[in-house]
Amino acid sequence: MRYPNKLPKGGTVGLVAPSSPISEEKRERCIKKIKDLGYRVKTSSNLSENYGGYMAGDGPQRAKEFNSMFEDEEVDAVFCVRGGAGGSRMLPYVDFELIKKNPKIFVGYSDITGLHLAINRYCDLVTFHGPMVSSDMIDDFDDETATSFFQAIDAEDAYVYANPQGRGIQVLSEGTASGRLTGGNLALLSASIGTFYELDCKDKILFIEEVGEEIDRLERFAFHLKNAGKLNQCRGILLGQFTKCNNKNRPEYDAIECFKDILKGINIPVMYCIESGHGHPMMTLPMGANCTMDTRTKTLYFEKPVRMEKVK
């Protein structure tokens, strides 16, 4: 799987809303933030649309805007302004052949998980599980989040993933494993089963994060993956941020304790406290990239990127 070309200095960033909308005020702040970072900006026309009370337009409309950013030769990178809901509704209308022929940096997380899975699978293109403009950048794009972001999208050589200072990676199950990185938001990974963008875990490193789910629902999503045979196919698992995933009846039985039970009988390396997801700071992960996880050194190592030129 290949990386898109790096984001050039003064390049053009396309802002998209594949899921939920943002306000006009936040739209202007998003534009200003990207310009302040030194880039030109193009915006999809649906950023502040409101369809159904939670979507930035219906499925075909959002896909049309999304496709156009990859088709536009002036656009060097495509950044999501936020996640939210409704992303699955637009997926059937996304032109993956167009994206494959026009590979670009693509960044987002949460409800954007389905797009990561599909683009990795059908476009042979690395994407980035990283900060979104409205959700993360306009209010507090701190130094650690920014450093991780630009290291991932502009990497020239192999590198070791770094957690925020003072937040060490922890080990749930020992071992070493190598493979392509896949995954994202747990609810969306579970929802992908049986669809054309279904999670493919075979011989891969699986990353999982979640937000705002009670432990019983988190367990339901995770056991869906296990019962579907997905977790047994992984070479290793990385557990990210589980923000506001509470257990009001028994707080000590938290997300990690729950995963200890979920992963019983699966003899693969597992590391947790990978600080990527809905928390802060938010570290960037290149989805589809080749990586090696080593519980002895508590490291996640990404191989040297191979860049992808446009398909003629």
Side-chain angles (χ1 to χ4, degrees), residues 5 45 49 52 67 150 167 172 193 211 226 244 297 308:
N5 289 327
S45 65
E49 290 284 335
N67 293 336
F150 287 111
R167 302 191 194 181
L172 198 63
I193 305 301
V211 62
K226 184 174 185 178
K244 298 180 182 179
T297 57
M308 175 185 280

Side-chain angles (χ1 to χ4, degrees), residues 49-311:
E49 290 284 335
N50 191 328
Y51 183 85
Y54 60 92
M55 292 173 286
D58 64 14
Q61 179 187 6
R62 282 179 281 141
K64 180 180 178 181
E65 297 286 347
F66 187 77
N67 293 336
S68 69
M69 284 297 181
F70 283 89
E71 188 174 26
D72 189 333
E73 293 185 357
E74 293 182 356
V75 174
D76 300 296
V78 180
F79 293 179
C80 295
V81 292
R82 65 165 297 186
S88 299
R89 189 186 291 214
M90 69 163 275
L91 280 168
Y93 307 101
V94 176
D95 189 340
F96 294 105
E97 282 300 314
L98 172 67
I99 295 171
K100 187 174 182 178
K101 292 177 180 179
N102 297 274
K104 297 175 183 180
I105 293 166
F106 174 61
V107 186
Y109 67 96
S110 191
D111 198 53
I112 310 302
T113 293
L115 281 166
H116 285 303
L117 296 177
I119 293 173
N120 290 165
R121 180 170 184 172
Y122 295 112
C123 305
D124 194 34
L125 179 65
V126 170
T127 57
F128 299 92
H129 184 274
M132 296 184 285
V133 187
S134 179
S135 301
D136 306 281
M137 293 185 181
I138 62 174
D139 288 322
D140 193 5
F141 195 39
D142 67 279
D143 289 344
E144 288 183 301
T145 299
T147 296
S148 176
F149 175 71
F150 287 111
Q151 179 188 50
I153 68 171
D154 290 338
E156 293 185 356
D157 297 305
Y159 69 93
V160 175
Y161 163 89
N163 250 9
Q165 188 173 2
R167 302 191 194 181
I169 293 174
Q170 304 299 315
V171 175
L172 198 63
S173 179
E174 295 182 353
T176 302
S178 297
R180 289 180 178 176
L181 183 64
T182 190
N185 180 263
L186 177 58
L188 273 296
L189 297 178
S190 177
S192 77
I193 305 301
T195 71
F196 80 99
Y197 63 101
E198 181 170 334
L199 171 67
D200 177 9
C201 287
K202 186 172 175 57
D203 298 328
K204 293 182 173 65
I205 307 297
L206 175 62
F207 167 76
I208 301 172
E209 65 87 26
E210 189 51 89
V211 62
E213 297 287 359
E214 290 289 333
I215 294 299
D216 60 334
R217 286 176 56 82
L218 185 150
E219 176 178 293
R220 185 183 308 146
F221 297 142
F223 262 103
H224 188 191
L225 297 184
K226 184 174 185 178
N227 293 340
K230 297 297 182 181
L231 303 186
N232 290 310
Q233 297 174 349
C234 300
R235 289 184 176 176
I237 292 176
L238 303 171
L239 299 178
Q241 295 167 332
F242 291 90
T243 307
K244 298 180 182 179
C245 291
N246 302 314
N247 184 346
K248 60 185 178 182
N249 295 320
R250 189 177 172 186
E252 67 275 15
Y253 190 77
D254 59 12
I256 300 306
E257 290 300 315
C258 186
F259 268 102
K260 286 181 181 178
D261 286 341
I262 293 164
L263 296 173
K264 283 179 180 177
I266 300 177
N267 187 27
I268 57 174
V270 181
M271 298 196 301
Y272 65 100
C273 291
I274 304 297
E275 297 294 342
S276 187
H278 287 75
H280 184 82
M282 199 287 197
M283 306 291 100
T284 299
L285 295 170
M287 309 308 291
N290 290 316
C291 64
T292 297
M293 57 181 292
D294 187 336
T295 64
R296 180 180 58 85
T297 57
K298 297 181 181 180
T299 55
L300 180 59
Y301 169 88
F302 288 99
E303 296 180 7
K304 182 176 179 177
V306 177
R307 299 286 171 182
M308 175 185 280
E309 297 296 334
K310 287 186 179 181
V311 178

